[in-house]
Amino acid sequence: AKKFIPLEKSRPGAADTVPKRQGGFLTGFNHRKAILAIRHIIVAAKAERVSTIELFLHDVETAKTRGAELAELFATQCELANFEFNRYKQIPKQGWASVETVVVHSRLATPVVLGALSRGQVIGEEMNKARALANTPGGDMTPHRLAEAAIGEGQAHGFQVKVLDEKEMKKLGMGGVLGVARGSAEPPRFIVMEYLRGHKSDKPVVLVGKGVTFDTGGLNLKPEQGINEMHMDMSGGAAVIHIIAALARLKAKKNIVGIIPAVENMPSGSSYHPGDLLKTMSGKTIEVLNTDAEGRVILSDALTYAKQYKPRLIIDIATLTGAAMAALGQRATALFTTEPTLERTLRETGERTGDFVWPLPLWEEYEDEIKGTFGDVANLGKTRYGGAITGAAFLWQFVKDEKTGPAPAW
């Protein structure tokens, strides 16, 4: 929506038009249904080509979400539902269907609801920009262009971006990134974004995003089914770029660093092979058992690089393995952490925003699965079971020796 217009009071008689309530809330209505209801309203308006709508904020109020928090969530969900990736389509004669204006009736004071709606709109807009990046075809979204996208956001919103090329990565010993990138004509890039607006003494949170701009599987070539979607294997990187852009637009007083190793994973005469041993920035060697388990290989160097910031927390965001969807389906993101407080914080945050996460174990027992025969760690488990967990256990090897402080107060 181009704008949200808050009004302090609902119109007379509006209460007569809403569903029956019990104890102030809709019968059978809950927070999850409220999120979907907001989205369905926007989708229905678009289907009827209605560009301006009026909504009553309290109609989607629940026991869990109300007031300014509800207004923020409301604006975010409107933006998400209004999104359509049509960059590569011919514009129809009647133009694209879109909700341009939402008039919001609320019991809240106008300044309060306007501020909350503005925050929610920024969050929704940046989420949509991340979706647009992830949907861009691999032919148009190379490592170089992903780096350009990060630079553009930094210039627009005032945070620092530096991009390491192959020569600089070789100096740092990033054998994981360089090994995966060997098969592609597109050179890799290592993107570092610094948003440091918190207190100087505050240790930063580092966000690490997987940036495989197209994943063929390498010499372990993917099957026909699904390979056309592998331009989205840089979704973690896209999310990191636009998380930091959102924080900058919201003027958050935080210290956040974003790191994205960006590569293409392609089969060619120069590709890395099954059985290769790659020496990473950490000094550990990776025994390559499958070239399609490349995300964890490049992330090993990114996690090692992240440690120079002495972070209080590293969050890795990655489309790492289809095994996560085999375990949880398409309704939740797999979450791995050894910190119970952090697990609870992220799970509760996901529940509140509609981006659900669910924990899977990260136990020492699983480390045996990724011990290498000829190298320190293998990039594939010894069996076909627990693939998401063994992927997390692999990444854990590159950060587990670091001392961590208390979970962040989000």
Side-chain angles (χ1 to χ4, degrees):
K2 290 187 178 178
K3 59 183 176 180
F4 290 89
I5 303 174
L7 299 179
E8 287 192 28
K9 296 181 179 179
S10 300
R11 292 181 302 190
D16 299 331
T17 67
V18 301
K20 186 178 180 181
R21 296 170 180 264
Q22 288 183 353
F25 300 103
L26 293 177
T27 306
F29 200 62
N30 58 37
H31 178 72
R32 289 191 173 194
K33 290 180 181 178
I35 291 172
L36 292 175
I38 297 165
R39 295 183 187 179
H40 284 311
I41 290 167
I42 299 299
V43 170
K46 286 171 63 179
E48 299 298 328
R49 305 192 70 84
V50 176
S51 62
T52 299
I53 61 175
E54 294 191 33
L55 296 172
F56 301 91
L57 193 59
H58 59 271
D59 285 352
V60 288
E61 186 177 85
T62 69
K64 184 175 287 188
T65 309
R66 57 179 67 186
E69 186 179 7
L70 173 61
E72 181 179 308
L73 182 69
F74 176 88
T76 299
Q77 300 309 315
C78 285
E79 290 294 340
L80 293 177
N82 210 23
F83 174 78
E84 214 171 314
F85 186 70
N86 48 29
R87 184 183 303 166
Y88 292 85
K89 293 181 179 179
Q90 190 174 33
I91 300 174
K93 290 181 180 179
Q94 68 273 36
W96 301 112
S98 176
V99 176
E100 300 294 327
T101 303
V102 181
V103 179
V104 181
H105 296 265
S106 172
R107 299 188 183 101
L108 298 172
T110 298
V112 174
V113 71
L114 184 59
L117 290 170
S118 296
R119 289 193 302 274
Q121 187 169 24
V122 167
I123 293 167
E125 286 172 350
E126 293 302 328
M127 290 175 74
N128 285 341
K129 288 179 183 177
R131 295 163 83 186
L133 267 187
N135 277 298
T136 302
D140 290 339
M141 184 48 63
T142 63
H144 173 71
R145 289 180 178 173
L146 185 60
E148 285 184 333
I151 291 169
E153 293 298 325
Q155 291 172 342
H157 304 301
F159 57 86
Q160 298 297 314
V161 181
K162 62 180 177 180
V163 179
L164 308 184
D165 59 18
E166 283 178 288
K167 186 177 179 180
E168 292 167 299
M169 283 186 267
K170 284 177 183 176
K171 285 182 180 179
L172 292 171
M174 292 184 175
V177 177
L178 294 170
V180 173
R182 267 182 6 210
S184 176
E186 295 288 343
R189 292 290 182 264
F190 194 88
I191 306 162
V192 181
M193 297 165 286
E194 296 179 349
Y195 177 80
L196 306 175
R197 296 290 185 272
H199 196 278
K200 286 186 178 181
S201 63
D202 291 343
K203 291 183 178 181
V205 171
V206 178
L207 307 176
V208 177
K210 177 182 172 184
V212 179
T213 58
F214 196 84
D215 180 20
T216 65
L219 294 179
N220 291 108
L221 191 67
K222 288 181 180 291
E224 178 184 355
Q225 296 81 9
I227 195 171
N228 62 298
E229 296 182 341
M230 287 302 106
H231 58 282
M232 292 190 287
D233 214 15
M234 40 63 71
S235 298
V240 168
I241 291 171
H242 289 287
I243 288 170
I244 295 180
L247 289 168
R249 290 179 63 188
L250 294 171
K251 297 180 171 51
K253 301 297 183 183
K254 302 286 183 182
N255 292 329
I256 310 289
V257 176
I259 298 173
I260 305 167
V263 301
E264 269 192 345
N265 185 23
M266 302 289 282
S268 73
S270 59
S271 296
Y272 77 131
H273 314 80
D276 279 357
L277 291 159
L278 304 177
K279 188 173 183 180
T280 65
M281 185 180 175
S282 69
K284 290 184 174 71
T285 53
I286 296 174
E287 183 176 348
V288 179
L289 299 184
N290 189 308
T291 61
D292 194 23
E294 84 298 328
R296 65 199 69 179
V297 176
I298 66 171
L299 289 168
S300 67
D301 284 333
L303 292 171
T304 301
Y305 188 92
K307 292 195 286 189
Q308 69 179 286
Y309 289 96
K310 302 187 185 307
R312 59 184 175 131
L313 175 68
I314 300 174
I315 298 178
D316 181 276
I317 306 170
T319 48
L320 198 64
T321 168
M325 289 205 303
L328 298 174
Q330 295 179 309
R331 304 297 182 181
T333 296
L335 168 66
F336 297 90
T337 178
T338 58
E339 299 287 342
T341 302
L342 180 62
E343 176 194 304
R344 186 171 60 253
T345 298
L346 292 176
R347 198 152 37 86
E348 289 173 353
T349 302
E351 185 71 31
R352 193 166 65 247
T353 61
D355 286 313
F356 309 123
V357 299
W358 197 255
L360 293 177
L362 188 58
W363 299 335
E364 290 181 359
E365 287 83 352
Y366 288 102
E367 292 180 302
D368 289 337
E369 295 290 318
I370 46 89
K371 283 183 179 177
T373 302
F374 302 106
D376 294 310
V377 290
N379 76 332
L380 204 66
K382 291 181 172 65
T383 71
R384 65 189 181 91
Y385 303 111
I389 300 171
T390 54
F394 175 96
L395 295 177
W396 182 235
Q397 305 311 300
F398 296 90
V399 293
K400 70 174 187 173
D401 295 330
E402 293 297 301
K403 292 182 179 180
T404 58
W410 296 100

